[in-house]
Amino acid sequence: MIASEKIADAAAQSFMDVTGAEVARIPTIDGRLDILAALRLLAARGVTRVFSEGGPAVAESLIAHGYADEVILHRGVKPLGRPGKLALTPAARHTLADEHRYRLFQSRRLGADEMTHYIKAG
């Protein structure tokens, strides 16, 4: 499923016809897709687990609103992507550090990389 505020143009519609992808129209709040509306739409379709790699803004929204039950971060030795682009916003990192909201479950090395696993508190 592709979540979007707008109805797809002809090229996108052609892609959806070929691939069978579904586009769901989701309202926006402050210029961003309403993450709760998207999650409710998935739940209505029977989806109970979501793996998100939507970038810093989506991660912040999921974490800040308490929609993420678990957060697993993988940090490599070498940077991936553009220099200076953080995987999580400062607000998301602050929320993860709040022991009333999330707790550190596990942190360990995986080869040269580091994995940090947080679980929602309570």
Side-chain angles (χ1 to χ4, degrees):
M1 181 179 75
I2 300 165
S4 176
E5 172 192 14
K6 301 173 184 172
I7 300 298
D9 62 19
Q13 186 61 52
S14 175
F15 173 80
M16 291 181 300
D17 292 343
V18 170
T19 63
E22 174 192 357
V23 174
R25 189 165 185 204
I26 305 291
T28 59
I29 297 175
D30 297 327
R32 293 184 177 180
L33 289 181
D34 180 349
I35 196 83
L36 182 56
L39 292 173
R40 284 184 173 151
L41 182 69
L42 290 170
R45 287 169 169 70
V47 177
T48 60
R49 297 287 229 183
V50 174
F51 178 82
S52 173
E53 288 191 76
V58 173
E60 178 182 344
S61 187
L62 291 168
I63 293 167
H65 289 97
Y67 302 147
D69 294 327
E70 296 182 54
V71 178
I72 301 173
L73 305 172
H74 291 273
R75 190 171 330 154
V77 176
K78 295 181 181 178
L80 179 64
R82 296 183 300 242
K85 186 75 171 170
L86 297 174
L88 288 178
T89 64
R93 289 185 183 279
H94 179 74
T95 301
L96 287 175
D98 181 349
E99 65 185 27
H100 298 331
R101 302 199 55 199
Y102 287 91
R103 66 179 178 87
L104 178 63
F105 177 72
Q106 181 181 33
S107 182
R108 66 183 190 144
R109 306 256 336 130
L110 299 172
D113 299 339
E114 182 181 346
M115 184 273 300
T116 310
H117 185 177
Y118 296 89
I119 296 179
K120 191 171 161 183

